[in-house]
Amino acid sequence: MRVLSGIQPTGNLHLGNYLGAIRNWVKMQDEMDADSQCFFFLADMHSITVHEERTQRLKNVREMAAALIAAGIDPDRSVLFNQARVPAHAELAWLLNGTARIGWLNRMTQFKDKAGKNREGASVGLFVYPVLQAADVLLYQATHVPVGEDQKQHLELTRDIAVKFNTDFGVDLFTLPDPIIPKETARIMSLRDGTSKMSKSDPSDMSRINLTDDDDTIASKVRKAKTDPDPLPETMADLVGRPEASNLVGIFSALTGESGDSVCARFAGQGFGAFKPALANVLVESLRPIRQRFEALKNDNTALDAILLKGAEKASAAARPTLLGAYEALGLMR
């Protein structure tokens, strides 16, 4: 089993990233046997589809590496690297552009969402980045890829590209990856709007809990989180139609491992004046160790670069046979 996943280095992680993805990465890492391996990368090449200053991109990559390590990714047990240090990603993406079809890319809903009405003004990279995503996965013969609902379409495209390449050139080069969709992945919503996902792009910092927030900031954000005037019911089923209340109970449940029904039963009949302080305490105690590890790491550029370079060397060695196989299949002399 070989698991691969990447994350864009677009600033600090927030609670939604941690509970929705990173915590599951750590769990997979910890459950791997001796014959299995996890590859986790910072998708800095994907990040160039949006303009960003050089110094900010460098800072974001290092800080994201520090955040992942602080959250539990162990560079000695998993391969942690930044994409740009492994040129095979860009090389294979170009080779796969000959196999991918414009019609396939036109169906990608994320491009439509991100380009919006400015489709003609969007970068070519934003249109073709699903091909780079396919290269990211196929390079390492990944058998499994953790995906959210918004990425399932891109993994299906990856499989389509792999099948067409293998068929067109009569090879069995690329492994067809299967999605990992954890049954109990937490879907964390905005603290200001329970119908929208918690996001880095939300202009209001009060909408999210950042993993870098201090104890007082976390408590303040929970205290000011949007709720409703009704008390908590006996079960989660009774929270239907109350998105903000359901979100806060869901966060409590995800952090403690307690079922949503159990949380509701414990606080049934009580208002948010009683529930919010308990939630804030759980958040503070859960996130404080991560924040402390992050603060100790984030400014040690030498150590972070050494970790990413070591990971890139491992990744490059793993990717090389697949890249050479693609060149050979295409009749391109190296």
Side-chain angles (χ1 to χ4, degrees):
M1 182 175 180
R2 181 170 281 184
V3 173
L4 178 132
S5 195
I7 187 169
Q8 285 223 35
T10 52
N12 291 329
L13 292 171
H14 56 70
L15 184 68
N17 302 134
Y18 176 63
L19 293 178
I22 307 307
R23 192 171 65 166
N24 288 325
W25 290 9
V26 175
K27 183 178 179 182
M28 284 186 284
Q29 166 194 270
D30 293 344
E31 292 176 349
M32 283 289 170
D33 60 35
D35 297 322
S36 302
Q37 198 167 26
C38 288
F39 287 75
F40 300 123
F41 68 93
L42 308 173
D44 48 0
M45 292 180 68
H46 284 287
S47 75
I48 67 172
T49 59
V50 177
H51 178 73
E52 188 173 53
E53 293 297 328
R54 172 186 181 276
T55 54
Q56 186 61 49
R57 178 170 285 113
L58 289 168
K59 181 175 184 287
N60 284 350
V61 169
R62 289 175 175 133
E63 286 197 353
M64 185 62 76
L68 292 179
I69 295 166
I73 298 300
D74 183 348
D76 292 326
R77 298 165 64 196
S78 297
V79 181
L80 177 64
F81 63 101
N82 64 296
Q83 196 181 25
R85 277 194 168 98
V86 186
H89 286 256
E91 290 185 66
L92 185 59
W94 179 251
L95 300 185
L96 296 181
N97 275 332
T99 297
R101 292 295 179 255
I102 289 175
W104 297 353
L105 295 176
N106 276 333
R107 290 194 290 272
M108 297 294 105
T109 56
Q110 279 208 355
F111 173 73
K112 297 173 186 176
D113 293 342
K114 291 183 178 181
K117 296 180 180 179
N118 190 32
R119 182 184 174 97
E120 296 302 314
S123 75
V124 173
L126 188 62
F127 183 66
V128 301
Y129 88 90
V131 182
L132 177 56
Q133 280 190 324
D136 297 335
V137 174
L138 298 176
L139 261 179
Y140 299 101
Q141 305 294 342
T143 58
H144 295 82
V145 180
V147 293
E149 289 297 322
D150 59 342
Q151 291 293 332
K152 286 175 63 178
Q153 190 183 40
H154 287 170
L155 190 61
E156 291 166 2
L157 175 69
T158 297
R159 290 173 61 93
D160 289 342
I161 291 173
V163 168
K164 181 168 174 54
F165 188 101
N166 287 347
T167 302
D168 285 353
F169 299 102
V171 294
D172 189 24
L173 179 63
F174 295 126
T175 298
L176 302 188
D178 289 320
I180 296 178
I181 306 175
K183 295 179 181 178
E184 299 179 2
T185 295
R187 183 174 171 83
I188 306 303
M189 313 305 282
S190 165
L191 299 182
R192 312 303 294 168
D193 177 4
T195 64
S196 299
K197 284 181 67 176
M198 188 174 285
S199 171
K200 303 171 191 173
S201 60
D202 192 310
S204 173
D205 191 58
M206 296 300 290
S207 70
R208 59 188 167 268
I209 301 291
N210 303 304
L211 298 193
T212 54
D213 286 343
D214 61 32
D215 295 353
D216 290 342
T217 301
I218 291 172
S220 175
K221 287 182 176 181
V222 173
R223 186 170 60 251
K224 296 176 182 178
K226 184 179 178 181
T227 50
D228 56 49
D230 297 327
L232 285 168
E234 293 279 351
T235 67
M236 286 293 290
D238 295 323
L239 283 175
V240 172
R242 299 173 62 185
E244 286 80 23
S246 180
N247 184 43
L248 295 186
V249 171
I251 292 172
F252 194 108
S253 171
L255 288 169
T256 62
E258 192 175 347
S259 72
D261 285 342
S262 176
V263 175
C264 283
R266 180 140 64 97
F267 291 92
Q270 300 182 58
F272 285 94
F275 181 74
K276 282 184 173 181
L279 174 59
N281 184 62
V282 167
L283 277 162
V284 165
E285 294 303 317
S286 299
L287 299 184
R288 184 188 294 130
I290 296 174
R291 183 182 71 246
Q292 290 174 340
R293 289 193 293 267
F294 172 75
E295 292 294 337
L297 276 170
K298 71 173 184 176
N299 294 319
D300 194 342
N301 291 347
T302 300
L304 290 170
D305 286 354
I307 288 170
L308 293 175
L309 180 58
K310 182 179 177 181
E313 290 170 349
K314 293 178 182 177
S316 294
R320 182 173 173 78
T322 301
L323 181 64
L324 293 181
Y327 275 109
E328 177 66 23
L330 288 162
L332 296 171
M333 293 183 285
R334 290 289 295 252

PDB file of all heavy atoms in Angstrom, residues 39 64 82-85 95 99 110 120 142 152 175 182 186 189 200 204 238 285 310 318 320 330:
ATOM      1  N   PHE A  39       3.390   9.223   1.348  1.00  0.00           N
ATOM      2  CA  PHE A  39       4.050  10.371   0.744  1.00  0.00           C
ATOM      3  C   PHE A  39       3.139  11.581   0.943  1.00  0.00           C
ATOM      4  O   PHE A  39       1.992  11.577   0.496  1.00  0.00           O
ATOM      5  CB  PHE A  39       4.265  10.160  -0.762  1.00  0.00           C
ATOM      6  CG  PHE A  39       5.342   9.182  -1.110  1.00  0.00           C
ATOM      7  CD1 PHE A  39       5.133   7.814  -0.957  1.00  0.00           C
ATOM      8  CD2 PHE A  39       6.565   9.609  -1.609  1.00  0.00           C
ATOM      9  CE1 PHE A  39       6.120   6.898  -1.285  1.00  0.00           C
ATOM     10  CE2 PHE A  39       7.558   8.697  -1.937  1.00  0.00           C
ATOM     11  CZ  PHE A  39       7.340   7.337  -1.771  1.00  0.00           C
ATOM     12  N   MET A  64       4.071  25.749   6.377  1.00  0.00           N
ATOM     13  CA  MET A  64       3.179  24.603   6.230  1.00  0.00           C
ATOM     14  C   MET A  64       3.899  23.320   6.615  1.00  0.00           C
ATOM     15  O   MET A  64       3.312  22.432   7.240  1.00  0.00           O
ATOM     16  CB  MET A  64       2.652  24.513   4.800  1.00  0.00           C
ATOM     17  CG  MET A  64       1.619  23.417   4.600  1.00  0.00           C
ATOM     18  SD  MET A  64       0.119  23.657   5.587  1.00  0.00           S
ATOM     19  CE  MET A  64      -0.695  24.943   4.648  1.00  0.00           C
ATOM     20  N   ASN A  82       8.587  19.149  -0.580  1.00  0.00           N
ATOM     21  CA  ASN A  82       7.880  20.131  -1.395  1.00  0.00           C
ATOM     22  C   ASN A  82       8.066  19.759  -2.862  1.00  0.00           C
ATOM     23  O   ASN A  82       9.133  19.340  -3.307  1.00  0.00           O
ATOM     24  CB  ASN A  82       8.344  21.558  -1.107  1.00  0.00           C
ATOM     25  CG  ASN A  82       9.778  21.820  -1.462  1.00  0.00           C
ATOM     26  OD1 ASN A  82      10.681  21.219  -0.874  1.00  0.00           O
ATOM     27  ND2 ASN A  82      10.022  22.726  -2.399  1.00  0.00           N
ATOM     28  N   GLN A  83       6.994  19.919  -3.594  1.00  0.00           N
ATOM     29  CA  GLN A  83       6.871  19.453  -4.975  1.00  0.00           C
ATOM     30  C   GLN A  83       7.974  19.989  -5.892  1.00  0.00           C
ATOM     31  O   GLN A  83       8.512  19.258  -6.737  1.00  0.00           O
ATOM     32  CB  GLN A  83       5.504  19.934  -5.452  1.00  0.00           C
ATOM     33  CG  GLN A  83       4.920  19.330  -6.686  1.00  0.00           C
ATOM     34  CD  GLN A  83       3.580  19.996  -6.962  1.00  0.00           C
ATOM     35  OE1 GLN A  83       3.329  21.135  -6.545  1.00  0.00           O
ATOM     36  NE2 GLN A  83       2.709  19.289  -7.640  1.00  0.00           N
ATOM     37  N   ALA A  84       8.333  21.262  -5.739  1.00  0.00           N
ATOM     38  CA  ALA A  84       9.277  21.882  -6.659  1.00  0.00           C
ATOM     39  C   ALA A  84      10.673  21.264  -6.577  1.00  0.00           C
ATOM     40  O   ALA A  84      11.462  21.393  -7.522  1.00  0.00           O
ATOM     41  CB  ALA A  84       9.364  23.383  -6.394  1.00  0.00           C
ATOM     42  N   ARG A  85      10.987  20.588  -5.469  1.00  0.00           N
ATOM     43  CA  ARG A  85      12.298  19.952  -5.346  1.00  0.00           C
ATOM     44  C   ARG A  85      12.363  18.623  -6.094  1.00  0.00           C
ATOM     45  O   ARG A  85      13.426  17.987  -6.128  1.00  0.00           O
ATOM     46  CB  ARG A  85      12.636  19.722  -3.864  1.00  0.00           C
ATOM     47  CG  ARG A  85      13.232  20.938  -3.161  1.00  0.00           C
ATOM     48  CD  ARG A  85      13.856  20.534  -1.835  1.00  0.00           C
ATOM     49  NE  ARG A  85      14.677  21.587  -1.259  1.00  0.00           N
ATOM     50  CZ  ARG A  85      14.280  22.434  -0.322  1.00  0.00           C
ATOM     51  NH1 ARG A  85      13.038  22.351   0.144  1.00  0.00           N
ATOM     52  NH2 ARG A  85      15.098  23.351   0.154  1.00  0.00           N
ATOM     53  N   LEU A  95       4.333  15.347 -20.095  1.00  0.00           N
ATOM     54  CA  LEU A  95       4.134  14.123 -20.882  1.00  0.00           C
ATOM     55  C   LEU A  95       2.657  13.720 -20.887  1.00  0.00           C
ATOM     56  O   LEU A  95       2.130  13.276 -21.910  1.00  0.00           O
ATOM     57  CB  LEU A  95       4.983  12.983 -20.323  1.00  0.00           C
ATOM     58  CG  LEU A  95       6.511  13.203 -20.304  1.00  0.00           C
ATOM     59  CD1 LEU A  95       7.218  11.932 -19.832  1.00  0.00           C
ATOM     60  CD2 LEU A  95       7.042  13.636 -21.658  1.00  0.00           C
ATOM     61  N   THR A  99      -1.767  13.057 -23.344  1.00  0.00           N
ATOM     62  CA  THR A  99      -2.795  12.024 -23.169  1.00  0.00           C
ATOM     63  C   THR A  99      -4.121  12.610 -22.700  1.00  0.00           C
ATOM     64  O   THR A  99      -5.189  12.190 -23.138  1.00  0.00           O
ATOM     65  CB  THR A  99      -2.307  10.984 -22.140  1.00  0.00           C
ATOM     66  OG1 THR A  99      -1.131  10.335 -22.638  1.00  0.00           O
ATOM     67  CG2 THR A  99      -3.383   9.935 -21.872  1.00  0.00           C
ATOM     68  N   GLN A 110     -13.992  22.446 -10.512  1.00  0.00           N
ATOM     69  CA  GLN A 110     -13.188  23.379  -9.717  1.00  0.00           C
ATOM     70  C   GLN A 110     -12.654  24.526 -10.570  1.00  0.00           C
ATOM     71  O   GLN A 110     -12.555  25.653 -10.107  1.00  0.00           O
ATOM     72  CB  GLN A 110     -12.043  22.647  -9.024  1.00  0.00           C
ATOM     73  CG  GLN A 110     -12.482  21.953  -7.755  1.00  0.00           C
ATOM     74  CD  GLN A 110     -11.354  21.826  -6.742  1.00  0.00           C
ATOM     75  OE1 GLN A 110     -10.215  22.174  -7.000  1.00  0.00           O
ATOM     76  NE2 GLN A 110     -11.672  21.325  -5.573  1.00  0.00           N
ATOM     77  N   GLU A 120     -11.644  33.680 -19.466  1.00  0.00           N
ATOM     78  CA  GLU A 120     -10.632  34.027 -20.468  1.00  0.00           C
ATOM     79  C   GLU A 120      -9.405  34.670 -19.828  1.00  0.00           C
ATOM     80  O   GLU A 120      -8.321  34.652 -20.405  1.00  0.00           O
ATOM     81  CB  GLU A 120     -11.231  34.975 -21.516  1.00  0.00           C
ATOM     82  CG  GLU A 120     -12.350  34.349 -22.342  1.00  0.00           C
ATOM     83  CD  GLU A 120     -11.903  33.097 -23.076  1.00  0.00           C
ATOM     84  OE1 GLU A 120     -10.813  33.130 -23.688  1.00  0.00           O
ATOM     85  OE2 GLU A 120     -12.636  32.086 -23.029  1.00  0.00           O
ATOM     86  N   ALA A 142       1.027   5.364  -6.564  1.00  0.00           N
ATOM     87  CA  ALA A 142       0.172   5.416  -5.373  1.00  0.00           C
ATOM     88  C   ALA A 142      -1.019   4.478  -5.549  1.00  0.00           C
ATOM     89  O   ALA A 142      -1.686   4.486  -6.585  1.00  0.00           O
ATOM     90  CB  ALA A 142      -0.307   6.840  -5.131  1.00  0.00           C
ATOM     91  N   LYS A 152     -12.760  14.268  -5.649  1.00  0.00           N
ATOM     92  CA  LYS A 152     -13.067  12.970  -6.259  1.00  0.00           C
ATOM     93  C   LYS A 152     -13.006  13.043  -7.784  1.00  0.00           C
ATOM     94  O   LYS A 152     -12.519  12.122  -8.445  1.00  0.00           O
ATOM     95  CB  LYS A 152     -14.451  12.490  -5.816  1.00  0.00           C
ATOM     96  CG  LYS A 152     -14.500  11.981  -4.383  1.00  0.00           C
ATOM     97  CD  LYS A 152     -15.914  11.636  -3.960  1.00  0.00           C
ATOM     98  CE  LYS A 152     -16.508  10.490  -4.787  1.00  0.00           C
ATOM     99  NZ  LYS A 152     -17.864  10.141  -4.328  1.00  0.00           N
ATOM    100  N   THR A 175      -0.203   2.634 -12.053  1.00  0.00           N
ATOM    101  CA  THR A 175      -1.150   2.012 -11.128  1.00  0.00           C
ATOM    102  C   THR A 175      -2.410   2.877 -11.060  1.00  0.00           C
ATOM    103  O   THR A 175      -2.321   4.105 -11.035  1.00  0.00           O
ATOM    104  CB  THR A 175      -0.538   1.919  -9.719  1.00  0.00           C
ATOM    105  OG1 THR A 175       0.627   1.092  -9.782  1.00  0.00           O
ATOM    106  CG2 THR A 175      -1.525   1.352  -8.706  1.00  0.00           C
ATOM    107  N   PRO A 182     -12.473   8.621   4.271  1.00  0.00           N
ATOM    108  CA  PRO A 182     -12.757   8.160   5.633  1.00  0.00           C
ATOM    109  C   PRO A 182     -14.230   8.324   5.984  1.00  0.00           C
ATOM    110  O   PRO A 182     -14.846   9.349   5.697  1.00  0.00           O
ATOM    111  CB  PRO A 182     -11.873   9.071   6.504  1.00  0.00           C
ATOM    112  CG  PRO A 182     -10.783   9.527   5.582  1.00  0.00           C
ATOM    113  CD  PRO A 182     -11.419   9.640   4.238  1.00  0.00           C
ATOM    114  N   ALA A 186     -14.411  14.589   9.657  1.00  0.00           N
ATOM    115  CA  ALA A 186     -15.149  15.734  10.186  1.00  0.00           C
ATOM    116  C   ALA A 186     -15.268  16.811   9.109  1.00  0.00           C
ATOM    117  O   ALA A 186     -14.296  17.148   8.436  1.00  0.00           O
ATOM    118  CB  ALA A 186     -14.435  16.287  11.415  1.00  0.00           C
ATOM    119  N   MET A 189     -17.358  23.559   9.649  1.00  0.00           N
ATOM    120  CA  MET A 189     -17.945  24.710   8.985  1.00  0.00           C
ATOM    121  C   MET A 189     -17.484  26.017   9.641  1.00  0.00           C
ATOM    122  O   MET A 189     -16.904  26.036  10.730  1.00  0.00           O
ATOM    123  CB  MET A 189     -19.467  24.612   9.012  1.00  0.00           C
ATOM    124  CG  MET A 189     -20.025  23.243   8.604  1.00  0.00           C
ATOM    125  SD  MET A 189     -19.455  22.680   6.976  1.00  0.00           S
ATOM    126  CE  MET A 189     -20.524  23.655   5.911  1.00  0.00           C
ATOM    127  N   LYS A 200      -9.584  29.273   4.680  1.00  0.00           N
ATOM    128  CA  LYS A 200      -8.547  30.307   4.791  1.00  0.00           C
ATOM    129  C   LYS A 200      -8.942  31.561   4.020  1.00  0.00           C
ATOM    130  O   LYS A 200      -8.483  32.660   4.321  1.00  0.00           O
ATOM    131  CB  LYS A 200      -7.226  29.805   4.204  1.00  0.00           C
ATOM    132  CG  LYS A 200      -6.673  28.527   4.804  1.00  0.00           C
ATOM    133  CD  LYS A 200      -5.498  28.055   3.970  1.00  0.00           C
ATOM    134  CE  LYS A 200      -5.075  26.650   4.357  1.00  0.00           C
ATOM    135  NZ  LYS A 200      -4.053  26.096   3.467  1.00  0.00           N
ATOM    136  N   SER A 204     -13.078  37.048   7.074  1.00  0.00           N
ATOM    137  CA  SER A 204     -13.190  37.208   8.521  1.00  0.00           C
ATOM    138  C   SER A 204     -12.381  36.143   9.252  1.00  0.00           C
ATOM    139  O   SER A 204     -12.658  34.953   9.144  1.00  0.00           O
ATOM    140  CB  SER A 204     -14.654  37.112   8.960  1.00  0.00           C
ATOM    141  OG  SER A 204     -14.748  37.103  10.371  1.00  0.00           O
ATOM    142  N   ASP A 238     -32.055  15.991  16.214  1.00  0.00           N
ATOM    143  CA  ASP A 238     -32.875  17.144  16.557  1.00  0.00           C
ATOM    144  C   ASP A 238     -32.191  18.478  16.254  1.00  0.00           C
ATOM    145  O   ASP A 238     -32.770  19.545  16.491  1.00  0.00           O
ATOM    146  CB  ASP A 238     -33.254  17.090  18.044  1.00  0.00           C
ATOM    147  CG  ASP A 238     -34.149  15.907  18.367  1.00  0.00           C
ATOM    148  OD1 ASP A 238     -35.003  15.570  17.521  1.00  0.00           O
ATOM    149  OD2 ASP A 238     -33.977  15.310  19.447  1.00  0.00           O
ATOM    150  N   GLU A 285      -7.096  22.787  24.902  1.00  0.00           N
ATOM    151  CA  GLU A 285      -6.257  21.675  25.351  1.00  0.00           C
ATOM    152  C   GLU A 285      -5.802  20.803  24.180  1.00  0.00           C
ATOM    153  O   GLU A 285      -4.703  20.244  24.211  1.00  0.00           O
ATOM    154  CB  GLU A 285      -7.027  20.828  26.372  1.00  0.00           C
ATOM    155  CG  GLU A 285      -7.320  21.548  27.677  1.00  0.00           C
ATOM    156  CD  GLU A 285      -6.046  22.070  28.353  1.00  0.00           C
ATOM    157  OE1 GLU A 285      -5.037  21.340  28.387  1.00  0.00           O
ATOM    158  OE2 GLU A 285      -6.070  23.222  28.848  1.00  0.00           O
ATOM    159  N   LYS A 310      15.659  16.172   2.391  1.00  0.00           N
ATOM    160  CA  LYS A 310      15.770  14.731   2.612  1.00  0.00           C
ATOM    161  C   LYS A 310      14.547  14.003   2.051  1.00  0.00           C
ATOM    162  O   LYS A 310      14.671  12.965   1.399  1.00  0.00           O
ATOM    163  CB  LYS A 310      15.904  14.445   4.109  1.00  0.00           C
ATOM    164  CG  LYS A 310      16.080  12.971   4.449  1.00  0.00           C
ATOM    165  CD  LYS A 310      16.234  12.778   5.959  1.00  0.00           C
ATOM    166  CE  LYS A 310      16.348  11.298   6.331  1.00  0.00           C
ATOM    167  NZ  LYS A 310      16.463  11.119   7.807  1.00  0.00           N
ATOM    168  N   ALA A 318      11.991   7.425  -5.654  1.00  0.00           N
ATOM    169  CA  ALA A 318      10.781   6.631  -5.872  1.00  0.00           C
ATOM    170  C   ALA A 318      10.126   6.958  -7.209  1.00  0.00           C
ATOM    171  O   ALA A 318       9.526   6.092  -7.853  1.00  0.00           O
ATOM    172  CB  ALA A 318       9.794   6.870  -4.730  1.00  0.00           C
ATOM    173  N   ARG A 320      11.651   8.180 -10.031  1.00  0.00           N
ATOM    174  CA  ARG A 320      12.492   8.031 -11.227  1.00  0.00           C
ATOM    175  C   ARG A 320      12.098   6.856 -12.124  1.00  0.00           C
ATOM    176  O   ARG A 320      11.980   7.025 -13.346  1.00  0.00           O
ATOM    177  CB  ARG A 320      13.957   7.922 -10.810  1.00  0.00           C
ATOM    178  CG  ARG A 320      14.916   7.808 -11.991  1.00  0.00           C
ATOM    179  CD  ARG A 320      16.374   7.883 -11.561  1.00  0.00           C
ATOM    180  NE  ARG A 320      17.277   7.615 -12.677  1.00  0.00           N
ATOM    181  CZ  ARG A 320      17.579   8.487 -13.614  1.00  0.00           C
ATOM    182  NH1 ARG A 320      17.033   9.698 -13.580  1.00  0.00           N
ATOM    183  NH2 ARG A 320      18.392   8.189 -14.590  1.00  0.00           N
ATOM    184  N   LEU A 330       6.918   6.526 -24.635  1.00  0.00           N
ATOM    185  CA  LEU A 330       6.649   7.549 -25.653  1.00  0.00           C
ATOM    186  C   LEU A 330       7.714   7.567 -26.753  1.00  0.00           C
ATOM    187  O   LEU A 330       7.560   8.274 -27.753  1.00  0.00           O
ATOM    188  CB  LEU A 330       6.587   8.928 -24.982  1.00  0.00           C
ATOM    189  CG  LEU A 330       5.338   9.182 -24.126  1.00  0.00           C
ATOM    190  CD1 LEU A 330       5.568  10.346 -23.190  1.00  0.00           C
ATOM    191  CD2 LEU A 330       4.141   9.452 -25.032  1.00  0.00           C
TER     192      LEU A 330
END
